[in-house]
Amino acid sequence: MISKEKQAIQELLAHPGWGIYKELVMNGFKSRLQADLQSAARSGEAIRAAGFAGQIDLLPRVLEVPEKYLKG
């Protein structure tokens, strides 16, 4: 028998809302971060631009956390 936490995560991943949430994050939030990245790069703010680039890189990894939790 699996733990309550893993069962809850399985239910989350199986729910259609999870797919919608992932799309919103990957499309909506990512495009906003990309716009912020471009703005910072144009204004010569290299450290700020690097921060936005790092956030963009982390988005897919953050969305994989529930799946990785189930694997072990």
Side-chain angles (χ1 to χ4, degrees), residues 28-72:
F29 189 55
K30 184 177 179 180
S31 64
R32 186 172 139 211
L33 286 172
Q34 287 173 330
D36 291 342
L37 168 63
Q38 291 172 348
S39 173
R42 279 193 301 269
S43 63
E45 299 178 56
I47 294 174
R48 190 167 160 241
F52 290 126
Q55 291 176 29
I56 291 168
D57 289 342
L58 286 176
L59 283 178
R61 290 179 182 87
V62 169
L63 293 174
E64 292 172 356
V65 168
E67 295 167 359
K68 290 189 178 201
Y69 177 78
L70 287 178
K71 290 181 182 176

mmCIF file of all heavy atoms in Angstrom, residues 28-72:
data_model
loop_
_atom_site.group_PDB
_atom_site.id
_atom_site.type_symbol
_atom_site.label_atom_id
_atom_site.label_comp_id
_atom_site.label_asym_id
_atom_site.label_seq_id
_atom_site.Cartn_x
_atom_site.Cartn_y
_atom_site.Cartn_z
ATOM 1 N N GLY A 28 2.270 30.736 -20.083
ATOM 2 C CA GLY A 28 2.006 32.068 -19.553
ATOM 3 C C GLY A 28 3.146 32.624 -18.725
ATOM 4 O O GLY A 28 3.668 33.706 -19.007
ATOM 5 N N PHE A 29 3.545 31.903 -17.703
ATOM 6 C CA PHE A 29 4.586 32.398 -16.810
ATOM 7 C C PHE A 29 5.939 32.444 -17.521
ATOM 8 O O PHE A 29 6.707 33.386 -17.348
ATOM 9 C CB PHE A 29 4.654 31.511 -15.563
ATOM 10 C CG PHE A 29 5.535 32.059 -14.479
ATOM 11 C CD1 PHE A 29 5.345 33.339 -13.980
ATOM 12 C CD2 PHE A 29 6.549 31.301 -13.963
ATOM 13 C CE1 PHE A 29 6.152 33.845 -12.975
ATOM 14 C CE2 PHE A 29 7.367 31.796 -12.962
ATOM 15 C CZ PHE A 29 7.171 33.062 -12.463
ATOM 16 N N LYS A 30 6.192 31.453 -18.346
ATOM 17 C CA LYS A 30 7.468 31.424 -19.060
ATOM 18 C C LYS A 30 7.573 32.611 -20.025
ATOM 19 O O LYS A 30 8.632 33.246 -20.111
ATOM 20 C CB LYS A 30 7.623 30.116 -19.820
ATOM 21 C CG LYS A 30 8.955 29.959 -20.500
ATOM 22 C CD LYS A 30 9.062 28.604 -21.185
ATOM 23 C CE LYS A 30 10.383 28.448 -21.892
ATOM 24 N NZ LYS A 30 10.487 27.145 -22.549
ATOM 25 N N SER A 31 6.500 32.936 -20.715
ATOM 26 C CA SER A 31 6.560 34.065 -21.649
ATOM 27 C C SER A 31 6.760 35.376 -20.886
ATOM 28 O O SER A 31 7.453 36.271 -21.366
ATOM 29 C CB SER A 31 5.317 34.117 -22.533
ATOM 30 O OG SER A 31 4.167 34.354 -21.776
ATOM 31 N N ARG A 32 6.175 35.479 -19.697
ATOM 32 C CA ARG A 32 6.377 36.678 -18.880
ATOM 33 C C ARG A 32 7.834 36.787 -18.439
ATOM 34 O O ARG A 32 8.436 37.869 -18.479
ATOM 35 C CB ARG A 32 5.453 36.633 -17.668
ATOM 36 C CG ARG A 32 5.504 37.883 -16.860
ATOM 37 C CD ARG A 32 4.447 37.880 -15.788
ATOM 38 N NE ARG A 32 5.045 38.419 -14.586
ATOM 39 C CZ ARG A 32 4.722 38.089 -13.367
ATOM 40 N NH1 ARG A 32 3.794 37.199 -13.161
ATOM 41 N NH2 ARG A 32 5.309 38.642 -12.354
ATOM 42 N N LEU A 33 8.409 35.667 -18.013
ATOM 43 C CA LEU A 33 9.816 35.667 -17.621
ATOM 44 C C LEU A 33 10.720 36.004 -18.804
ATOM 45 O O LEU A 33 11.716 36.713 -18.650
ATOM 46 C CB LEU A 33 10.213 34.312 -17.027
ATOM 47 C CG LEU A 33 9.703 34.004 -15.632
ATOM 48 C CD1 LEU A 33 10.004 32.551 -15.266
ATOM 49 C CD2 LEU A 33 10.308 34.954 -14.615
ATOM 50 N N GLN A 34 10.373 35.506 -19.988
ATOM 51 C CA GLN A 34 11.172 35.798 -21.177
ATOM 52 C C GLN A 34 11.114 37.282 -21.508
ATOM 53 O O GLN A 34 12.125 37.881 -21.898
ATOM 54 C CB GLN A 34 10.705 34.953 -22.353
ATOM 55 C CG GLN A 34 11.110 33.498 -22.218
ATOM 56 C CD GLN A 34 10.504 32.617 -23.294
ATOM 57 O OE1 GLN A 34 9.412 32.869 -23.799
ATOM 58 N NE2 GLN A 34 11.218 31.546 -23.632
ATOM 59 N N ALA A 35 9.943 37.888 -21.352
ATOM 60 C CA ALA A 35 9.817 39.331 -21.597
ATOM 61 C C ALA A 35 10.654 40.113 -20.586
ATOM 62 O O ALA A 35 11.333 41.080 -20.955
ATOM 63 C CB ALA A 35 8.351 39.755 -21.531
ATOM 64 N N ASP A 36 10.626 39.683 -19.332
ATOM 65 C CA ASP A 36 11.442 40.336 -18.307
ATOM 66 C C ASP A 36 12.930 40.161 -18.595
ATOM 67 O O ASP A 36 13.724 41.076 -18.402
ATOM 68 C CB ASP A 36 11.112 39.781 -16.921
ATOM 69 C CG ASP A 36 9.727 40.185 -16.435
ATOM 70 O OD1 ASP A 36 9.156 41.153 -16.980
ATOM 71 O OD2 ASP A 36 9.222 39.526 -15.505
ATOM 72 N N LEU A 37 13.292 38.981 -19.064
ATOM 73 C CA LEU A 37 14.685 38.701 -19.422
ATOM 74 C C LEU A 37 15.141 39.632 -20.550
ATOM 75 O O LEU A 37 16.216 40.235 -20.474
ATOM 76 C CB LEU A 37 14.837 37.245 -19.850
ATOM 77 C CG LEU A 37 16.139 36.829 -20.521
ATOM 78 C CD1 LEU A 37 17.315 37.006 -19.575
ATOM 79 C CD2 LEU A 37 16.056 35.389 -20.987
ATOM 80 N N GLN A 38 14.329 39.762 -21.579
ATOM 81 C CA GLN A 38 14.669 40.636 -22.697
ATOM 82 C C GLN A 38 14.788 42.088 -22.247
ATOM 83 O O GLN A 38 15.700 42.807 -22.667
ATOM 84 C CB GLN A 38 13.631 40.502 -23.807
ATOM 85 C CG GLN A 38 13.680 39.166 -24.509
ATOM 86 C CD GLN A 38 12.523 38.986 -25.475
ATOM 87 O OE1 GLN A 38 11.557 39.755 -25.477
ATOM 88 N NE2 GLN A 38 12.611 37.954 -26.308
ATOM 89 N N SER A 39 13.876 42.509 -21.390
ATOM 90 C CA SER A 39 13.916 43.886 -20.888
ATOM 91 C C SER A 39 15.188 44.143 -20.086
ATOM 92 O O SER A 39 15.848 45.171 -20.266
ATOM 93 C CB SER A 39 12.689 44.143 -20.013
ATOM 94 O OG SER A 39 12.769 45.394 -19.396
ATOM 95 N N ALA A 40 15.535 43.209 -19.231
ATOM 96 C CA ALA A 40 16.754 43.366 -18.428
ATOM 97 C C ALA A 40 17.996 43.345 -19.310
ATOM 98 O O ALA A 40 18.933 44.118 -19.092
ATOM 99 C CB ALA A 40 16.831 42.259 -17.376
ATOM 100 N N ALA A 41 17.999 42.488 -20.307
ATOM 101 C CA ALA A 41 19.156 42.403 -21.207
ATOM 102 C C ALA A 41 19.306 43.702 -22.013
ATOM 103 O O ALA A 41 20.423 44.190 -22.197
ATOM 104 C CB ALA A 41 19.003 41.210 -22.134
ATOM 105 N N ARG A 42 18.182 44.255 -22.484
ATOM 106 C CA ARG A 42 18.243 45.494 -23.257
ATOM 107 C C ARG A 42 18.760 46.655 -22.413
ATOM 108 O O ARG A 42 19.446 47.531 -22.913
ATOM 109 C CB ARG A 42 16.863 45.842 -23.818
ATOM 110 C CG ARG A 42 16.502 45.102 -25.080
ATOM 111 C CD ARG A 42 15.281 45.714 -25.746
ATOM 112 N NE ARG A 42 14.110 45.714 -24.894
ATOM 113 C CZ ARG A 42 13.198 44.753 -24.841
ATOM 114 N NH1 ARG A 42 13.323 43.696 -25.606
ATOM 115 N NH2 ARG A 42 12.166 44.846 -24.029
ATOM 116 N N SER A 43 18.409 46.663 -21.144
ATOM 117 C CA SER A 43 18.837 47.767 -20.290
ATOM 118 C C SER A 43 20.213 47.526 -19.666
ATOM 119 O O SER A 43 20.676 48.332 -18.864
ATOM 120 C CB SER A 43 17.797 48.037 -19.203
ATOM 121 O OG SER A 43 17.667 46.925 -18.346
ATOM 122 N N GLY A 44 20.851 46.428 -20.029
ATOM 123 C CA GLY A 44 22.208 46.156 -19.577
ATOM 124 C C GLY A 44 22.310 45.614 -18.160
ATOM 125 O O GLY A 44 23.381 45.653 -17.567
ATOM 126 N N GLU A 45 21.226 45.100 -17.630
ATOM 127 C CA GLU A 45 21.230 44.551 -16.276
ATOM 128 C C GLU A 45 21.532 43.048 -16.336
ATOM 129 O O GLU A 45 20.631 42.216 -16.274
ATOM 130 C CB GLU A 45 19.888 44.804 -15.607
ATOM 131 C CG GLU A 45 19.558 46.279 -15.478
ATOM 132 C CD GLU A 45 18.193 46.498 -14.857
ATOM 133 O OE1 GLU A 45 17.954 46.005 -13.749
ATOM 134 O OE2 GLU A 45 17.378 47.157 -15.526
ATOM 135 N N ALA A 46 22.799 42.730 -16.428
ATOM 136 C CA ALA A 46 23.223 41.340 -16.642
ATOM 137 C C ALA A 46 22.837 40.419 -15.487
ATOM 138 O O ALA A 46 22.387 39.286 -15.716
ATOM 139 C CB ALA A 46 24.727 41.276 -16.867
ATOM 140 N N ILE A 47 22.988 40.880 -14.257
ATOM 141 C CA ILE A 47 22.672 40.022 -13.111
ATOM 142 C C ILE A 47 21.173 39.736 -13.050
ATOM 143 O O ILE A 47 20.752 38.602 -12.823
ATOM 144 C CB ILE A 47 23.177 40.659 -11.800
ATOM 145 C CG1 ILE A 47 24.704 40.700 -11.811
ATOM 146 C CG2 ILE A 47 22.656 39.911 -10.585
ATOM 147 C CD1 ILE A 47 25.323 41.441 -10.649
ATOM 148 N N ARG A 48 20.384 40.770 -13.281
ATOM 149 C CA ARG A 48 18.929 40.586 -13.288
ATOM 150 C C ARG A 48 18.504 39.663 -14.433
ATOM 151 O O ARG A 48 17.664 38.779 -14.250
ATOM 152 C CB ARG A 48 18.253 41.946 -13.417
ATOM 153 C CG ARG A 48 16.786 41.911 -13.201
ATOM 154 C CD ARG A 48 16.226 43.325 -13.017
ATOM 155 N NE ARG A 48 14.820 43.291 -13.282
ATOM 156 C CZ ARG A 48 14.204 43.964 -14.237
ATOM 157 N NH1 ARG A 48 14.877 44.797 -14.984
ATOM 158 N NH2 ARG A 48 12.917 43.849 -14.415
ATOM 159 N N ALA A 49 19.106 39.836 -15.599
ATOM 160 C CA ALA A 49 18.802 38.982 -16.749
ATOM 161 C C ALA A 49 19.167 37.528 -16.450
ATOM 162 O O ALA A 49 18.421 36.611 -16.793
ATOM 163 C CB ALA A 49 19.546 39.470 -17.989
ATOM 164 N N ALA A 50 20.296 37.330 -15.800
ATOM 165 C CA ALA A 50 20.713 35.966 -15.452
ATOM 166 C C ALA A 50 19.723 35.331 -14.492
ATOM 167 O O ALA A 50 19.441 34.124 -14.572
ATOM 168 C CB ALA A 50 22.114 35.984 -14.842
ATOM 169 N N GLY A 51 19.180 36.120 -13.586
ATOM 170 C CA GLY A 51 18.167 35.609 -12.655
ATOM 171 C C GLY A 51 16.929 35.120 -13.384
ATOM 172 O O GLY A 51 16.399 34.049 -13.087
ATOM 173 N N PHE A 52 16.470 35.906 -14.359
ATOM 174 C CA PHE A 52 15.303 35.491 -15.144
ATOM 175 C C PHE A 52 15.615 34.247 -15.969
ATOM 176 O O PHE A 52 14.786 33.344 -16.082
ATOM 177 C CB PHE A 52 14.817 36.627 -16.048
ATOM 178 C CG PHE A 52 14.179 37.761 -15.299
ATOM 179 C CD1 PHE A 52 14.627 39.061 -15.470
ATOM 180 C CD2 PHE A 52 13.124 37.541 -14.428
ATOM 181 C CE1 PHE A 52 14.051 40.113 -14.785
ATOM 182 C CE2 PHE A 52 12.535 38.593 -13.731
ATOM 183 C CZ PHE A 52 13.000 39.880 -13.916
ATOM 184 N N ALA A 53 16.805 34.190 -16.533
ATOM 185 C CA ALA A 53 17.192 33.013 -17.320
ATOM 186 C C ALA A 53 17.210 31.769 -16.434
ATOM 187 O O ALA A 53 16.759 30.693 -16.852
ATOM 188 C CB ALA A 53 18.556 33.230 -17.960
ATOM 189 N N GLY A 54 17.707 31.917 -15.222
ATOM 190 C CA GLY A 54 17.721 30.792 -14.289
ATOM 191 C C GLY A 54 16.324 30.323 -13.932
ATOM 192 O O GLY A 54 16.063 29.122 -13.831
ATOM 193 N N GLN A 55 15.410 31.262 -13.744
ATOM 194 C CA GLN A 55 14.029 30.900 -13.440
ATOM 195 C C GLN A 55 13.388 30.147 -14.595
ATOM 196 O O GLN A 55 12.655 29.182 -14.389
ATOM 197 C CB GLN A 55 13.222 32.146 -13.099
ATOM 198 C CG GLN A 55 13.607 32.778 -11.785
ATOM 199 C CD GLN A 55 12.841 34.061 -11.530
ATOM 200 O OE1 GLN A 55 11.712 34.235 -11.993
ATOM 201 N NE2 GLN A 55 13.440 34.970 -10.792
ATOM 202 N N ILE A 56 13.670 30.594 -15.810
ATOM 203 C CA ILE A 56 13.125 29.920 -16.990
ATOM 204 C C ILE A 56 13.649 28.488 -17.060
ATOM 205 O O ILE A 56 12.894 27.555 -17.353
ATOM 206 C CB ILE A 56 13.464 30.708 -18.271
ATOM 207 C CG1 ILE A 56 12.695 32.026 -18.287
ATOM 208 C CG2 ILE A 56 13.152 29.882 -19.514
ATOM 209 C CD1 ILE A 56 13.161 33.011 -19.348
ATOM 210 N N ASP A 57 14.929 28.305 -16.771
ATOM 211 C CA ASP A 57 15.517 26.975 -16.796
ATOM 212 C C ASP A 57 14.924 26.052 -15.734
ATOM 213 O O ASP A 57 14.849 24.841 -15.931
ATOM 214 C CB ASP A 57 17.033 27.047 -16.605
ATOM 215 C CG ASP A 57 17.751 27.635 -17.805
ATOM 216 O OD1 ASP A 57 17.152 27.678 -18.905
ATOM 217 O OD2 ASP A 57 18.911 28.058 -17.644
ATOM 218 N N LEU A 58 14.516 26.622 -14.614
ATOM 219 C CA LEU A 58 13.993 25.812 -13.511
ATOM 220 C C LEU A 58 12.535 25.389 -13.682
ATOM 221 O O LEU A 58 12.107 24.419 -13.061
ATOM 222 C CB LEU A 58 14.142 26.560 -12.195
ATOM 223 C CG LEU A 58 15.544 26.647 -11.629
ATOM 224 C CD1 LEU A 58 15.542 27.498 -10.369
ATOM 225 C CD2 LEU A 58 16.103 25.279 -11.331
ATOM 226 N N LEU A 59 11.780 26.087 -14.493
ATOM 227 C CA LEU A 59 10.348 25.789 -14.617
ATOM 228 C C LEU A 59 10.063 24.313 -14.913
ATOM 229 O O LEU A 59 9.261 23.697 -14.216
ATOM 230 C CB LEU A 59 9.696 26.679 -15.678
ATOM 231 C CG LEU A 59 9.413 28.107 -15.273
ATOM 232 C CD1 LEU A 59 8.822 28.878 -16.449
ATOM 233 C CD2 LEU A 59 8.483 28.165 -14.089
ATOM 234 N N PRO A 60 10.676 23.717 -15.925
ATOM 235 C CA PRO A 60 10.366 22.304 -16.198
ATOM 236 C C PRO A 60 10.742 21.391 -15.032
ATOM 237 O O PRO A 60 10.031 20.433 -14.737
ATOM 238 C CB PRO A 60 11.203 21.969 -17.435
ATOM 239 C CG PRO A 60 11.588 23.267 -18.031
ATOM 240 C CD PRO A 60 11.584 24.271 -16.920
ATOM 241 N N ARG A 61 11.830 21.707 -14.356
ATOM 242 C CA ARG A 61 12.266 20.876 -13.227
ATOM 243 C C ARG A 61 11.288 20.962 -12.062
ATOM 244 O O ARG A 61 11.021 19.968 -11.392
ATOM 245 C CB ARG A 61 13.662 21.276 -12.787
ATOM 246 C CG ARG A 61 14.706 20.895 -13.800
ATOM 247 C CD ARG A 61 16.089 21.330 -13.367
ATOM 248 N NE ARG A 61 17.083 21.012 -14.361
ATOM 249 C CZ ARG A 61 17.418 21.785 -15.379
ATOM 250 N NH1 ARG A 61 16.823 22.942 -15.533
ATOM 251 N NH2 ARG A 61 18.340 21.417 -16.236
ATOM 252 N N VAL A 62 10.763 22.142 -11.819
ATOM 253 C CA VAL A 62 9.794 22.314 -10.737
ATOM 254 C C VAL A 62 8.530 21.513 -11.033
ATOM 255 O O VAL A 62 7.958 20.881 -10.139
ATOM 256 C CB VAL A 62 9.465 23.807 -10.534
ATOM 257 C CG1 VAL A 62 8.279 24.002 -9.612
ATOM 258 C CG2 VAL A 62 10.681 24.541 -9.998
ATOM 259 N N LEU A 63 8.103 21.512 -12.284
ATOM 260 C CA LEU A 63 6.894 20.778 -12.650
ATOM 261 C C LEU A 63 7.101 19.267 -12.614
ATOM 262 O O LEU A 63 6.134 18.517 -12.550
ATOM 263 C CB LEU A 63 6.403 21.228 -14.026
ATOM 264 C CG LEU A 63 5.892 22.658 -14.076
ATOM 265 C CD1 LEU A 63 5.568 23.055 -15.508
ATOM 266 C CD2 LEU A 63 4.683 22.849 -13.188
ATOM 267 N N GLU A 64 8.337 18.820 -12.637
ATOM 268 C CA GLU A 64 8.641 17.381 -12.573
ATOM 269 C C GLU A 64 8.714 16.864 -11.143
ATOM 270 O O GLU A 64 8.751 15.655 -10.925
ATOM 271 C CB GLU A 64 9.968 17.092 -13.252
ATOM 272 C CG GLU A 64 9.974 17.289 -14.743
ATOM 273 C CD GLU A 64 11.357 17.172 -15.349
ATOM 274 O OE1 GLU A 64 12.343 17.003 -14.589
ATOM 275 O OE2 GLU A 64 11.461 17.257 -16.573
ATOM 276 N N VAL A 65 8.725 17.739 -10.159
ATOM 277 C CA VAL A 65 8.892 17.334 -8.758
ATOM 278 C C VAL A 65 7.867 16.291 -8.329
ATOM 279 O O VAL A 65 8.244 15.269 -7.747
ATOM 280 C CB VAL A 65 8.890 18.559 -7.815
ATOM 281 C CG1 VAL A 65 8.776 18.145 -6.363
ATOM 282 C CG2 VAL A 65 10.148 19.378 -8.036
ATOM 283 N N PRO A 66 6.572 16.470 -8.591
ATOM 284 C CA PRO A 66 5.613 15.440 -8.141
ATOM 285 C C PRO A 66 5.902 14.064 -8.756
ATOM 286 O O PRO A 66 5.814 13.056 -8.065
ATOM 287 C CB PRO A 66 4.254 15.976 -8.604
ATOM 288 C CG PRO A 66 4.442 17.427 -8.777
ATOM 289 C CD PRO A 66 5.871 17.624 -9.179
ATOM 290 N N GLU A 67 6.238 14.036 -10.026
ATOM 291 C CA GLU A 67 6.529 12.754 -10.685
ATOM 292 C C GLU A 67 7.765 12.094 -10.082
ATOM 293 O O GLU A 67 7.798 10.893 -9.851
ATOM 294 C CB GLU A 67 6.690 12.952 -12.187
ATOM 295 C CG GLU A 67 5.410 13.413 -12.860
ATOM 296 C CD GLU A 67 5.625 13.906 -14.276
ATOM 297 O OE1 GLU A 67 6.773 13.922 -14.757
ATOM 298 O OE2 GLU A 67 4.618 14.285 -14.898
ATOM 299 N N LYS A 68 8.786 12.888 -9.825
ATOM 300 C CA LYS A 68 10.013 12.354 -9.240
ATOM 301 C C LYS A 68 9.780 11.877 -7.805
ATOM 302 O O LYS A 68 10.375 10.907 -7.376
ATOM 303 C CB LYS A 68 11.131 13.385 -9.307
ATOM 304 C CG LYS A 68 11.608 13.599 -10.723
ATOM 305 C CD LYS A 68 12.825 14.441 -10.787
ATOM 306 C CE LYS A 68 13.245 14.562 -12.247
ATOM 307 N NZ LYS A 68 14.603 14.915 -12.416
ATOM 308 N N TYR A 69 8.900 12.556 -7.084
ATOM 309 C CA TYR A 69 8.575 12.137 -5.733
ATOM 310 C C TYR A 69 7.945 10.743 -5.739
ATOM 311 O O TYR A 69 8.249 9.906 -4.887
ATOM 312 C CB TYR A 69 7.630 13.141 -5.078
ATOM 313 C CG TYR A 69 7.187 12.745 -3.689
ATOM 314 C CD1 TYR A 69 8.036 12.923 -2.604
ATOM 315 C CD2 TYR A 69 5.933 12.195 -3.470
ATOM 316 C CE1 TYR A 69 7.629 12.555 -1.324
ATOM 317 C CE2 TYR A 69 5.518 11.823 -2.200
ATOM 318 C CZ TYR A 69 6.371 12.006 -1.134
ATOM 319 O OH TYR A 69 5.974 11.635 0.115
ATOM 320 N N LEU A 70 7.087 10.491 -6.723
ATOM 321 C CA LEU A 70 6.449 9.176 -6.804
ATOM 322 C C LEU A 70 7.452 8.065 -7.129
ATOM 323 O O LEU A 70 7.303 6.943 -6.662
ATOM 324 C CB LEU A 70 5.363 9.184 -7.872
ATOM 325 C CG LEU A 70 4.083 9.928 -7.534
ATOM 326 C CD1 LEU A 70 3.120 9.891 -8.702
ATOM 327 C CD2 LEU A 70 3.424 9.361 -6.292
ATOM 328 N N LYS A 71 8.458 8.392 -7.915
ATOM 329 C CA LYS A 71 9.447 7.386 -8.312
ATOM 330 C C LYS A 71 10.371 6.992 -7.164
ATOM 331 O O LYS A 71 10.988 5.951 -7.213
ATOM 332 C CB LYS A 71 10.252 7.883 -9.499
ATOM 333 C CG LYS A 71 9.443 7.955 -10.762
ATOM 334 C CD LYS A 71 10.279 8.437 -11.923
ATOM 335 C CE LYS A 71 9.425 8.544 -13.160
ATOM 336 N NZ LYS A 71 10.186 9.100 -14.282
ATOM 337 N N GLY A 72 10.484 7.863 -6.199
ATOM 338 C CA GLY A 72 11.311 7.397 -5.113
ATOM 339 C C GLY A 72 12.027 8.375 -4.355
ATOM 340 O O GLY A 72 12.771 8.270 -3.533
#
